[in-house]
Amino acid sequence: MPTPHLRIEETGEVFELARDVTTVGRGSGVDIRLQDPSVSRLHAELVRRGPYVYVCDLGLSSNGTAVNGRPITQRVLDEGDVLTFGGARVRIAGLPETGDNDDATRSLRRSAAPELTRRESEVLIALCRPALGQDAFVAPATAREIADELVVTEAAVKQHLLRLYQKFRIPEGTNRRARLANEVLSAGIVRPLPDPSKSPAPQVRRAG
C-alpha cells in the first residue's frame, strides 16, 4: 500500500506522511520545512486517521492555508489536492481508495457541525451563494450583500456572522468570511440543488 506523500511543486522534493501528525512550516523543528518567506515557522499539521489525511491550519500566519485555491482551517484531503501554505504549493498523492470517499468525508465534516437557527442558515446560504457551483474559489458575499438579500440590517448580519465564526471555530484573522464559507461548502452543509439551471434556493444540511 503506498504511503501518502507531499510533493513540493517548485522543487519536486517528496516527503512521506509516515507519522500520525506531520508538521509543516519554515522553522527548524518541523517535519516538512518550506523555505518560502510567506510560510510561518509552524504553519500547519497533516494528520492521518485511518485511510484519511486532514490538513489543519494552525492560525499562526496571516497568509493562511488553502486547498485547491480555497482558504481552509481544516480539511479532509483527496488524491491530487493542491495545498498552498502561504505562497508554497505542494500536491498530495498516495492516498488509498476508500470507495465511498465523497460520502465518507462529508459525513466526517458534518459530524462536528453545530446546530443552526433558521436565520443563521439563511445567512450561510447568502454568504456562500457567489461560490455555489464554482470550481475555483469565489469571494463570498459581503455583510452588506447578505443584508440586502435578507432585508435586514448590516449590523444584524455582522452579529450573526460573529456567532457563526464561534460555532464553526473560525479564528480571527484575514479572510474570515472566506474561511467560514469554505468550511460549510466543503462539509456539504450548504449545497446547491442538483439542477442549478432551474435556480432553486440552495439547501442547508442539518447536523445529525
Side-chain angles (χ1 to χ4, degrees):
M1 179 181 296
T3 301
H5 57 273
L6 292 182
R7 181 176 65 83
I8 300 177
E9 294 205 331
E10 185 175 318
T11 65
E13 191 173 4
V14 174
F15 293 89
E16 288 193 348
L17 305 178
R19 301 181 179 182
D20 289 341
V21 179
T22 300
T23 53
V24 179
R26 190 166 43 88
S28 58
V30 298
D31 299 313
I32 299 177
R33 192 176 184 186
L34 303 173
Q35 299 299 329
D36 193 299
S38 64
V39 178
S40 67
R41 283 176 290 182
L42 181 58
H43 198 107
E45 291 179 340
L46 292 148
V47 183
R48 293 185 63 177
R49 290 290 183 268
Y52 302 105
V53 175
Y54 299 78
V55 60
C56 302
D57 182 80
L58 297 178
L60 302 176
S61 170
S62 60
N63 297 307
T65 300
V67 176
N68 300 326
R70 293 178 181 264
I72 60 93
T73 52
Q74 179 173 301
R75 174 77 179 263
V76 178
L77 298 174
D78 296 323
E79 179 76 10
D81 278 347
V82 174
L83 291 76
T84 307
F85 304 108
R89 288 166 55 91
V90 303
R91 186 180 298 271
I92 191 165
L95 296 178
E97 292 290 337
T98 61
D100 59 349
N101 191 55
D102 287 344
D103 289 342
T105 55
R106 286 175 181 169
S107 177
L108 281 169
R109 293 168 185 146
R110 285 200 303 271
S111 64
E115 290 292 333
L116 301 173
T117 67
R118 180 176 179 179
R119 180 58 83 185
E120 287 170 346
S121 297
E122 292 170 346
V123 169
L124 282 180
I125 288 172
L127 173 74
C128 297
R129 193 178 301 283
L132 292 172
Q134 300 291 330
D135 293 329
F137 177 73
V138 176
T142 65
R144 177 73 266 167
E145 290 168 339
I146 297 170
D148 289 344
E149 178 175 334
L150 300 180
V151 195
V152 296
T153 66
E154 187 173 353
V157 169
K158 289 180 178 179
Q159 287 299 314
H160 286 300
L161 286 173
L162 285 174
R163 285 194 290 271
L164 287 165
Y165 295 146
Q166 294 171 350
K167 286 189 173 186
F168 285 92
R169 298 179 182 178
I170 306 298
E172 293 184 6
T174 58
N175 300 321
R176 206 175 187 190
R177 280 184 299 105
R179 285 180 282 149
L180 173 61
N182 178 75
E183 187 72 18
V184 298
L185 284 170
S186 62
I189 296 167
V190 174
R191 62 187 179 88
L193 290 172
D195 187 0
S197 65
K198 295 181 181 178
S199 300
Q203 292 182 334
V204 172
R205 285 181 170 239
R206 299 285 184 178

